[in-house]
Amino acid sequence: MGYGRVPRVYEGVVLMPRHVLAAVSMDGREIAREVRPAAPSLAWVAAYGDLHACDYVTVSQGESVGLYARDPGGTWDAVSPGTDAGTADEMRLWFELTHHYPGPDGADPSHPLGRAPQPGAIGRIDERRAIALVQEHIATGGLDYPTQNLVADRFAAGWSVYAPVDVDDTDPMAFLDIPVGRSVFMIGDTGRIKEVTSAIPPEQADALFTAEEAFVRRPPAEEAFMNDLKAEFERLDARSGQPDAITDFTVVGTPPEDLTAARVTALTDEIARQLALCGPQRWERMVAAFSCAVSAETADLCFWQHERPMEARVPEQIALLVRRQRHLAAAMPAGPWLRLMVAVTKGPAGQAQVSTQYDYGDERLPDGQLLAPRHYRNDLAAYPRAGIPAWLRTYAGANGQRTASPHTAPDRSAPPRQEAPERPFVDSLVGWTTHVVADQQRITYGGDSLAWEEIEWIRYPVSRTKHQGFLFPSMYTNTYTFGVGRYGNSPKSLENLTWSKGGKRAEAPEAWLALVEFAQRVLEPRLLAQRLDLIRRGGSFTIGEMRVHRGGLTLRGVMEADWGSLTDVEVADGLVWIHERGRQQPVRVSLGSANAVLLPRIVAAMAG
């Protein structure tokens, strides 16, 4: 019988395995189906898909689902010869993204990939931060691209950052000086940067980048279904003419751990299958290693043929699948892996044995697969977790300076090297006589000092006061405050460092900006992970007068809200505005409160 299945016999009736063909739309909707007694050939599948004018056909036999797809040139091929229904859906969206989207008509909000994902715990980066990250990317990569006067345009999933081109409108030949194919840097809210050419229409580039983020970070099918159902109930509730007729709708639970593990394993098999297509025809062994964070990754791929190694490049399309697999794996108790190793060995009869290893960073990663510190900071912000390895905590807070490898023995014969004193990144006068000094280890003001690792809360509010004039124009005073401290015994002088500048459009002081940028990169991920861990273990804490606990948010006499009832959190006018379903006016928390800057991401992590 070869690899065929043995027919089952019941009371003299032979039951042959049935093969169900289904013509499927890009969003998974079944257009037509038919049952065949034998497995259809690729030509038959192609004719069936062409007959129903669709790009996808599935062939099911019991729990096994094969996915076939048509590329833009009209050629049909097997994307996945046999997997489960959930993984077939993943691979269909992946093929749609890499071959068809966004198409000639551009982005489609109704398309499964047409809507930007929720920012989650990491939140949305602002314009200044987006430009700074691109400037760092240009500098560290040694790119021939200007870093001054960059412009950032917001789109659904992030920012487009580029150097503007000034053209003399009075010169009819000035268009000849416009550079063709100039680089544009797309940066997502996770910190991922993708360089594209300006020859691609901006709308198309924005749509494709948004679709990539949507594919990687979309919720599991069960959660997405419940969220859509919830949205539909709310829509019908609004149309009923009786607001709040539906008083409560809570999305409960996440996919079981064993189901998530099965999905991660199945998608890893699909990754191995796609990687196998990148090698020579008669390879015998393959090893791939991926080192990933939420904003960057490295990939190494090697095939062996007659014991001769041949390196190969991992296409960007497969890197998308790896990012998706890691996002799903992040829901497991161990959290997201830092390295994934996939090895495939072919047997004598053509069977392939796949082995997978996950590295969660218990030991320092090899230098060749160690990403820049900022990428791990981004990752810890996107996937807050407790139990961060000591080396990673130190490395991620090293402000881009790589630490020496613990595996490298010191040279005892060399004379002792005098270490240069560390230069502070802030040395600024605050008030009239006293300087605040900050380096990578600590912050000092006058005689008071705190190590960054000791700090338990942060704040950096901005306020503007208008002095109304009668005979003279109005004047403005802008106040920039930076404060850090410990709960309990803490130096008071470090809790309220203040700079003032006049003017309606005053620029923030450089020292204040540098301290805030350092706090956002180094302090916020650690403090956020600690607070989320405290909540999930049943603890509580206060931000201003707001009590934050596992059940939700409590403001005595004003709010008693569970996480599922919170609809939106926004920051504006020096306040955090918290919107609750059924409440006409949002509840406000001052950004001057300790750790109020963490509140939007705490709500996003717990409510999401």
Side-chain angles (χ1 to χ4, degrees):
M1 297 282 300
Y3 293 100
R5 297 180 60 185
V6 178
R8 303 175 69 179
V9 180
Y10 293 95
E11 298 182 358
V13 178
V14 179
L15 301 180
M16 296 297 294
R18 301 193 313 163
H19 296 79
V20 180
L21 272 76
V24 181
S25 65
M26 54 82 187
D27 58 0
R29 184 172 46 86
E30 192 173 285
I31 300 171
R33 68 156 50 196
E34 71 173 53
V35 178
R36 292 183 54 80
S41 64
L42 178 60
W44 187 281
V45 169
Y48 189 74
D50 292 339
L51 173 65
H52 296 285
C54 65
D55 291 326
Y56 304 98
V57 171
T58 60
V59 179
S60 305
Q61 184 182 15
E63 299 296 324
S64 177
V65 180
L67 174 68
Y68 297 80
R70 173 171 49 186
D71 66 20
T75 302
W76 284 85
D77 204 349
V79 178
S80 175
T83 184
D84 59 273
T87 307
D89 286 339
E90 294 277 356
M91 297 303 292
R92 185 192 67 254
L93 277 180
W94 171 75
F95 193 92
E96 176 75 11
L97 171 62
T98 56
H99 289 78
H100 295 294
Y101 196 82
D105 297 329
D108 179 7
S110 64
H111 193 283
L113 301 172
R115 290 178 292 178
Q118 294 297 317
I122 199 169
R124 291 186 173 91
I125 62 173
D126 59 22
E127 178 181 0
R128 180 182 60 83
R129 179 70 177 146
I131 292 175
L133 287 173
V134 169
Q135 288 172 329
E136 181 181 352
H137 174 79
I138 294 170
T140 56
L143 305 180
D144 183 17
Y145 197 88
T147 57
Q148 300 300 314
N149 302 318
L150 298 181
V151 174
D153 295 333
R154 178 75 196 185
F155 64 98
W159 297 85
S160 296
V161 180
Y162 56 93
V165 178
D166 294 326
V167 179
D168 185 359
D169 295 334
T170 63
D171 183 0
M173 303 300 291
F175 73 93
L176 295 175
D177 297 327
I178 300 177
V180 178
R182 190 82 178 270
S183 290
V184 175
F185 297 91
M186 320 286 291
I187 176 166
D189 290 319
T190 60
R192 183 173 75 93
I193 296 177
K194 179 179 181 180
E195 185 177 353
V196 300
T197 173
S198 59
I200 300 175
E203 297 81 6
Q204 184 176 358
D206 295 351
L208 185 56
F209 190 97
T210 299
E212 292 172 356
E213 294 294 285
F215 172 76
V216 171
R217 296 161 54 199
R218 72 190 188 283
E222 298 86 355
E223 185 178 330
F225 171 77
M226 292 303 295
N227 286 335
D228 290 343
L229 185 62
K230 176 182 176 182
E232 181 65 12
F233 266 87
E234 292 174 347
R235 185 185 67 81
L236 295 175
D237 185 33
R239 289 182 55 187
S240 67
Q242 297 179 350
D244 302 327
I246 300 173
T247 57
D248 186 41
F249 191 114
T250 304
V251 177
V252 180
T254 56
E257 182 181 326
D258 57 348
L259 178 58
T260 301
R263 286 175 174 167
V264 170
T265 301
L267 200 54
T268 305
D269 290 342
E270 295 298 328
I271 292 169
R273 184 177 289 116
Q274 295 299 323
L275 288 171
L277 302 176
C278 301
Q281 285 189 349
R282 293 180 178 84
W283 61 269
E284 296 136 2
R285 185 162 57 96
M286 176 196 83
V287 174
F290 300 91
S291 178
C292 290
V294 73
S295 54
E297 67 269 329
T298 65
D300 298 310
L301 177 61
C302 189
F303 293 87
W304 280 263
Q305 188 174 18
H306 304 303
E307 296 304 317
R308 178 167 148 244
M310 291 169 282
E311 294 186 354
R313 185 183 66 87
V314 176
E316 168 63 15
Q317 295 93 323
I318 300 179
L320 275 169
L321 273 182
V322 175
R323 290 179 213 144
R324 174 58 177 167
Q325 189 265 22
R326 185 174 187 264
H327 182 74
L328 292 175
M332 300 290 290
W337 48 264
L338 296 186
R339 283 199 307 159
L340 167 66
M341 282 75 74
V342 179
V344 181
T345 303
K346 286 185 178 179
Q351 302 94 340
Q353 181 179 358
V354 180
S355 62
T356 305
Q357 287 184 303
Y358 296 100
D359 184 349
Y360 293 95
D362 295 332
E363 301 291 336
R364 190 178 189 271
L365 270 58
D367 284 345
Q369 296 177 334
L370 190 63
L371 304 175
R374 67 180 174 89
H375 296 305
Y376 295 113
R377 291 192 290 268
N378 292 340
D379 204 64
L380 293 173
Y383 301 115
R385 52 199 183 269
I388 304 170
W391 75 266
L392 180 58
R393 188 187 301 277
T394 301
Y395 179 75
N399 195 29
Q401 298 175 0
R402 294 175 63 141
T403 56
S405 171
H407 304 295
T408 304
D411 184 1
R412 302 293 183 184
S413 62
R417 185 178 60 180
Q418 298 295 323
E419 296 289 344
E422 184 175 353
R423 296 181 59 186
F425 64 87
V426 168
D427 187 348
S428 170
L429 189 66
V430 179
W432 295 100
T433 58
T434 308
H435 281 246
V436 58
V437 179
D439 57 26
Q440 306 303 318
Q441 307 303 321
R442 60 196 312 110
I443 180 172
T444 303
Y445 179 71
D448 292 331
S449 182
L450 271 178
W452 293 115
E453 62 184 16
E454 299 178 81
I455 289 169
E456 296 176 333
W457 62 261
I458 54 177
R459 66 189 187 101
Y460 30 86
V462 178
S463 63
R464 173 184 291 170
T465 303
K466 180 179 180 181
H467 309 279
Q468 187 70 44
F470 178 63
L471 297 177
F472 301 96
S474 298
M475 299 179 63
Y476 297 85
T477 299
N478 303 277
T479 303
Y480 303 85
T481 301
F482 184 85
V484 293
R486 297 190 302 255
Y487 292 108
N489 183 23
S490 182
K492 295 295 182 183
S493 67
L494 291 171
E495 297 180 0
N496 201 43
L497 303 172
T498 303
W499 291 261
S500 294
K501 294 188 73 173
K504 188 174 182 179
R505 295 179 176 84
E507 293 186 359
E510 290 185 5
W512 181 86
L513 284 174
L515 288 170
V516 170
E517 193 272 341
F518 183 85
Q520 290 175 335
R521 284 192 297 103
V522 178
L523 300 183
E524 285 191 20
R526 172 174 65 83
L527 296 176
L528 178 63
Q530 291 172 347
R531 296 302 174 273
L532 291 175
D533 183 58
L534 180 61
I535 294 171
R536 288 161 178 157
R537 287 188 289 108
S540 66
F541 53 91
T542 59
I543 294 180
E545 298 182 358
M546 180 76 72
R547 179 170 168 264
V548 185
H549 51 92
R550 185 158 58 182
L553 301 178
T554 300
L555 184 58
R556 183 172 299 178
V558 179
M559 168 183 275
E560 184 69 51
D562 59 62
W563 296 113
S565 68
L566 302 178
T567 59
D568 191 22
V569 180
E570 54 186 338
V571 177
D573 303 323
L575 300 167
V576 180
W577 303 75
I578 304 172
H579 298 263
E580 182 186 10
R581 187 179 303 106
R583 179 187 294 275
Q584 292 185 350
Q585 297 297 327
V587 173
R588 298 171 293 178
V589 177
S590 171
L591 280 174
S593 303
N595 282 339
V597 292
L598 303 178
L599 197 51
R601 284 185 284 172
I602 290 173
V603 173
M606 297 304 297

PDB file of all heavy atoms in Angstrom, residues 521-541:
ATOM      1  N   ARG A 521      14.184  53.987  28.003  1.00  0.00           N
ATOM      2  CA  ARG A 521      14.913  52.829  27.487  1.00  0.00           C
ATOM      3  C   ARG A 521      15.281  51.833  28.575  1.00  0.00           C
ATOM      4  O   ARG A 521      15.197  50.622  28.380  1.00  0.00           O
ATOM      5  CB  ARG A 521      16.201  53.277  26.790  1.00  0.00           C
ATOM      6  CG  ARG A 521      16.013  53.887  25.427  1.00  0.00           C
ATOM      7  CD  ARG A 521      17.354  54.024  24.705  1.00  0.00           C
ATOM      8  NE  ARG A 521      18.265  54.918  25.403  1.00  0.00           N
ATOM      9  CZ  ARG A 521      19.292  54.516  26.150  1.00  0.00           C
ATOM     10  NH1 ARG A 521      19.514  53.234  26.316  1.00  0.00           N
ATOM     11  NH2 ARG A 521      20.078  55.388  26.735  1.00  0.00           N
ATOM     12  N   VAL A 522      15.709  52.343  29.736  1.00  0.00           N
ATOM     13  CA  VAL A 522      16.311  51.485  30.742  1.00  0.00           C
ATOM     14  C   VAL A 522      15.381  51.223  31.932  1.00  0.00           C
ATOM     15  O   VAL A 522      15.237  50.082  32.376  1.00  0.00           O
ATOM     16  CB  VAL A 522      17.641  52.097  31.237  1.00  0.00           C
ATOM     17  CG1 VAL A 522      18.264  51.248  32.334  1.00  0.00           C
ATOM     18  CG2 VAL A 522      18.601  52.262  30.071  1.00  0.00           C
ATOM     19  N   LEU A 523      14.746  52.281  32.446  1.00  0.00           N
ATOM     20  CA  LEU A 523      13.957  52.123  33.669  1.00  0.00           C
ATOM     21  C   LEU A 523      12.561  51.581  33.401  1.00  0.00           C
ATOM     22  O   LEU A 523      12.082  50.682  34.118  1.00  0.00           O
ATOM     23  CB  LEU A 523      13.858  53.462  34.406  1.00  0.00           C
ATOM     24  CG  LEU A 523      15.170  54.099  34.857  1.00  0.00           C
ATOM     25  CD1 LEU A 523      14.889  55.383  35.625  1.00  0.00           C
ATOM     26  CD2 LEU A 523      15.954  53.132  35.726  1.00  0.00           C
ATOM     27  N   GLU A 524      11.867  52.132  32.410  1.00  0.00           N
ATOM     28  CA  GLU A 524      10.467  51.759  32.202  1.00  0.00           C
ATOM     29  C   GLU A 524      10.277  50.260  31.953  1.00  0.00           C
ATOM     30  O   GLU A 524       9.377  49.660  32.553  1.00  0.00           O
ATOM     31  CB  GLU A 524       9.864  52.578  31.065  1.00  0.00           C
ATOM     32  CG  GLU A 524       9.571  54.010  31.449  1.00  0.00           C
ATOM     33  CD  GLU A 524       8.728  54.723  30.403  1.00  0.00           C
ATOM     34  OE1 GLU A 524       8.064  54.036  29.596  1.00  0.00           O
ATOM     35  OE2 GLU A 524       8.742  55.961  30.383  1.00  0.00           O
ATOM     36  N   PRO A 525      11.073  49.589  31.093  1.00  0.00           N
ATOM     37  CA  PRO A 525      10.859  48.143  30.913  1.00  0.00           C
ATOM     38  C   PRO A 525      10.980  47.366  32.216  1.00  0.00           C
ATOM     39  O   PRO A 525      10.196  46.453  32.481  1.00  0.00           O
ATOM     40  CB  PRO A 525      11.936  47.757  29.901  1.00  0.00           C
ATOM     41  CG  PRO A 525      12.231  49.014  29.145  1.00  0.00           C
ATOM     42  CD  PRO A 525      12.088  50.109  30.141  1.00  0.00           C
ATOM     43  N   ARG A 526      11.974  47.715  33.047  1.00  0.00           N
ATOM     44  CA  ARG A 526      12.142  46.996  34.316  1.00  0.00           C
ATOM     45  C   ARG A 526      10.981  47.269  35.261  1.00  0.00           C
ATOM     46  O   ARG A 526      10.407  46.336  35.852  1.00  0.00           O
ATOM     47  CB  ARG A 526      13.465  47.419  34.976  1.00  0.00           C
ATOM     48  CG  ARG A 526      13.635  46.876  36.391  1.00  0.00           C
ATOM     49  CD  ARG A 526      15.007  47.185  36.953  1.00  0.00           C
ATOM     50  NE  ARG A 526      15.268  48.601  37.136  1.00  0.00           N
ATOM     51  CZ  ARG A 526      14.876  49.313  38.196  1.00  0.00           C
ATOM     52  NH1 ARG A 526      14.173  48.737  39.159  1.00  0.00           N
ATOM     53  NH2 ARG A 526      15.178  50.590  38.287  1.00  0.00           N
ATOM     54  N   LEU A 527      10.610  48.539  35.429  1.00  0.00           N
ATOM     55  CA  LEU A 527       9.525  48.872  36.345  1.00  0.00           C
ATOM     56  C   LEU A 527       8.198  48.279  35.873  1.00  0.00           C
ATOM     57  O   LEU A 527       7.395  47.795  36.688  1.00  0.00           O
ATOM     58  CB  LEU A 527       9.403  50.396  36.474  1.00  0.00           C
ATOM     59  CG  LEU A 527      10.611  51.105  37.106  1.00  0.00           C
ATOM     60  CD1 LEU A 527      10.396  52.612  37.094  1.00  0.00           C
ATOM     61  CD2 LEU A 527      10.858  50.610  38.519  1.00  0.00           C
ATOM     62  N   LEU A 528       7.964  48.294  34.549  1.00  0.00           N
ATOM     63  CA  LEU A 528       6.723  47.734  34.019  1.00  0.00           C
ATOM     64  C   LEU A 528       6.656  46.233  34.281  1.00  0.00           C
ATOM     65  O   LEU A 528       5.620  45.713  34.726  1.00  0.00           O
ATOM     66  CB  LEU A 528       6.625  48.016  32.520  1.00  0.00           C
ATOM     67  CG  LEU A 528       5.393  47.454  31.800  1.00  0.00           C
ATOM     68  CD1 LEU A 528       4.122  48.086  32.345  1.00  0.00           C
ATOM     69  CD2 LEU A 528       5.504  47.680  30.298  1.00  0.00           C
ATOM     70  N   ALA A 529       7.756  45.516  34.011  1.00  0.00           N
ATOM     71  CA  ALA A 529       7.766  44.072  34.247  1.00  0.00           C
ATOM     72  C   ALA A 529       7.536  43.748  35.713  1.00  0.00           C
ATOM     73  O   ALA A 529       6.797  42.809  36.056  1.00  0.00           O
ATOM     74  CB  ALA A 529       9.099  43.487  33.773  1.00  0.00           C
ATOM     75  N   GLN A 530       8.128  44.535  36.611  1.00  0.00           N
ATOM     76  CA  GLN A 530       7.942  44.291  38.043  1.00  0.00           C
ATOM     77  C   GLN A 530       6.498  44.528  38.463  1.00  0.00           C
ATOM     78  O   GLN A 530       5.924  43.752  39.246  1.00  0.00           O
ATOM     79  CB  GLN A 530       8.877  45.195  38.846  1.00  0.00           C
ATOM     80  CG  GLN A 530      10.348  44.833  38.717  1.00  0.00           C
ATOM     81  CD  GLN A 530      11.251  45.863  39.375  1.00  0.00           C
ATOM     82  OE1 GLN A 530      10.819  46.973  39.731  1.00  0.00           O
ATOM     83  NE2 GLN A 530      12.533  45.513  39.526  1.00  0.00           N
ATOM     84  N   ARG A 531       5.873  45.601  37.956  1.00  0.00           N
ATOM     85  CA  ARG A 531       4.494  45.902  38.349  1.00  0.00           C
ATOM     86  C   ARG A 531       3.529  44.845  37.806  1.00  0.00           C
ATOM     87  O   ARG A 531       2.605  44.419  38.501  1.00  0.00           O
ATOM     88  CB  ARG A 531       4.083  47.295  37.837  1.00  0.00           C
ATOM     89  CG  ARG A 531       4.875  48.442  38.445  1.00  0.00           C
ATOM     90  CD  ARG A 531       4.758  48.469  39.971  1.00  0.00           C
ATOM     91  NE  ARG A 531       5.609  49.470  40.581  1.00  0.00           N
ATOM     92  CZ  ARG A 531       6.872  49.289  40.923  1.00  0.00           C
ATOM     93  NH1 ARG A 531       7.461  48.129  40.673  1.00  0.00           N
ATOM     94  NH2 ARG A 531       7.562  50.235  41.510  1.00  0.00           N
ATOM     95  N   LEU A 532       3.725  44.415  36.563  1.00  0.00           N
ATOM     96  CA  LEU A 532       2.853  43.385  35.994  1.00  0.00           C
ATOM     97  C   LEU A 532       3.000  42.065  36.745  1.00  0.00           C
ATOM     98  O   LEU A 532       2.017  41.357  36.984  1.00  0.00           O
ATOM     99  CB  LEU A 532       3.166  43.197  34.512  1.00  0.00           C
ATOM    100  CG  LEU A 532       2.775  44.355  33.592  1.00  0.00           C
ATOM    101  CD1 LEU A 532       3.240  44.088  32.174  1.00  0.00           C
ATOM    102  CD2 LEU A 532       1.277  44.595  33.608  1.00  0.00           C
ATOM    103  N   ASP A 533       4.227  41.740  37.120  1.00  0.00           N
ATOM    104  CA  ASP A 533       4.440  40.512  37.884  1.00  0.00           C
ATOM    105  C   ASP A 533       3.751  40.605  39.237  1.00  0.00           C
ATOM    106  O   ASP A 533       3.142  39.635  39.710  1.00  0.00           O
ATOM    107  CB  ASP A 533       5.936  40.275  38.059  1.00  0.00           C
ATOM    108  CG  ASP A 533       6.238  38.980  38.789  1.00  0.00           C
ATOM    109  OD1 ASP A 533       5.808  37.917  38.304  1.00  0.00           O
ATOM    110  OD2 ASP A 533       6.877  39.028  39.853  1.00  0.00           O
ATOM    111  N   LEU A 534       3.814  41.781  39.885  1.00  0.00           N
ATOM    112  CA  LEU A 534       3.155  41.975  41.176  1.00  0.00           C
ATOM    113  C   LEU A 534       1.644  41.818  41.049  1.00  0.00           C
ATOM    114  O   LEU A 534       0.993  41.159  41.880  1.00  0.00           O
ATOM    115  CB  LEU A 534       3.499  43.374  41.714  1.00  0.00           C
ATOM    116  CG  LEU A 534       2.884  43.758  43.067  1.00  0.00           C
ATOM    117  CD1 LEU A 534       3.348  42.807  44.157  1.00  0.00           C
ATOM    118  CD2 LEU A 534       3.251  45.196  43.422  1.00  0.00           C
ATOM    119  N   ILE A 535       1.065  42.391  39.984  1.00  0.00           N
ATOM    120  CA  ILE A 535      -0.384  42.271  39.781  1.00  0.00           C
ATOM    121  C   ILE A 535      -0.776  40.810  39.589  1.00  0.00           C
ATOM    122  O   ILE A 535      -1.730  40.316  40.210  1.00  0.00           O
ATOM    123  CB  ILE A 535      -0.818  43.100  38.547  1.00  0.00           C
ATOM    124  CG1 ILE A 535      -0.613  44.593  38.800  1.00  0.00           C
ATOM    125  CG2 ILE A 535      -2.290  42.832  38.215  1.00  0.00           C
ATOM    126  CD1 ILE A 535      -0.802  45.442  37.563  1.00  0.00           C
ATOM    127  N   ARG A 536      -0.052  40.111  38.739  1.00  0.00           N
ATOM    128  CA  ARG A 536      -0.426  38.735  38.410  1.00  0.00           C
ATOM    129  C   ARG A 536      -0.227  37.787  39.582  1.00  0.00           C
ATOM    130  O   ARG A 536      -0.826  36.714  39.621  1.00  0.00           O
ATOM    131  CB  ARG A 536       0.372  38.271  37.191  1.00  0.00           C
ATOM    132  CG  ARG A 536      -0.110  38.955  35.913  1.00  0.00           C
ATOM    133  CD  ARG A 536       0.893  38.883  34.799  1.00  0.00           C
ATOM    134  NE  ARG A 536       0.367  39.524  33.579  1.00  0.00           N
ATOM    135  CZ  ARG A 536       1.118  40.010  32.610  1.00  0.00           C
ATOM    136  NH1 ARG A 536       2.424  39.947  32.693  1.00  0.00           N
ATOM    137  NH2 ARG A 536       0.570  40.571  31.548  1.00  0.00           N
ATOM    138  N   ARG A 537       0.604  38.165  40.552  1.00  0.00           N
ATOM    139  CA  ARG A 537       0.772  37.354  41.749  1.00  0.00           C
ATOM    140  C   ARG A 537      -0.218  37.726  42.845  1.00  0.00           C
ATOM    141  O   ARG A 537      -0.154  37.200  43.947  1.00  0.00           O
ATOM    142  CB  ARG A 537       2.205  37.487  42.275  1.00  0.00           C
ATOM    143  CG  ARG A 537       3.229  36.760  41.418  1.00  0.00           C
ATOM    144  CD  ARG A 537       4.611  36.734  42.055  1.00  0.00           C
ATOM    145  NE  ARG A 537       5.246  38.044  42.049  1.00  0.00           N
ATOM    146  CZ  ARG A 537       5.420  38.799  43.126  1.00  0.00           C
ATOM    147  NH1 ARG A 537       4.959  38.392  44.293  1.00  0.00           N
ATOM    148  NH2 ARG A 537       6.029  39.959  43.040  1.00  0.00           N
ATOM    149  N   GLY A 538      -1.144  38.672  42.537  1.00  0.00           N
ATOM    150  CA  GLY A 538      -2.180  39.029  43.493  1.00  0.00           C
ATOM    151  C   GLY A 538      -1.871  40.242  44.337  1.00  0.00           C
ATOM    152  O   GLY A 538      -2.646  40.582  45.239  1.00  0.00           O
ATOM    153  N   GLY A 539      -0.746  40.922  44.074  1.00  0.00           N
ATOM    154  CA  GLY A 539      -0.400  42.114  44.831  1.00  0.00           C
ATOM    155  C   GLY A 539      -1.085  43.351  44.283  1.00  0.00           C
ATOM    156  O   GLY A 539      -1.848  43.302  43.305  1.00  0.00           O
ATOM    157  N   SER A 540      -0.829  44.496  44.909  1.00  0.00           N
ATOM    158  CA  SER A 540      -1.416  45.764  44.462  1.00  0.00           C
ATOM    159  C   SER A 540      -0.459  46.899  44.791  1.00  0.00           C
ATOM    160  O   SER A 540       0.459  46.757  45.595  1.00  0.00           O
ATOM    161  CB  SER A 540      -2.774  45.999  45.134  1.00  0.00           C
ATOM    162  OG  SER A 540      -2.619  46.187  46.534  1.00  0.00           O
ATOM    163  N   PHE A 541      -0.693  48.060  44.169  1.00  0.00           N
ATOM    164  CA  PHE A 541       0.095  49.259  44.426  1.00  0.00           C
ATOM    165  C   PHE A 541      -0.752  50.451  44.009  1.00  0.00           C
ATOM    166  O   PHE A 541      -1.839  50.295  43.417  1.00  0.00           O
ATOM    167  CB  PHE A 541       1.425  49.232  43.653  1.00  0.00           C
ATOM    168  CG  PHE A 541       1.267  48.987  42.177  1.00  0.00           C
ATOM    169  CD1 PHE A 541       1.121  50.041  41.279  1.00  0.00           C
ATOM    170  CD2 PHE A 541       1.250  47.696  41.676  1.00  0.00           C
ATOM    171  CE1 PHE A 541       0.969  49.814  39.922  1.00  0.00           C
ATOM    172  CE2 PHE A 541       1.108  47.450  40.321  1.00  0.00           C
ATOM    173  CZ  PHE A 541       0.965  48.515  39.444  1.00  0.00           C
TER     174      PHE A 541
END
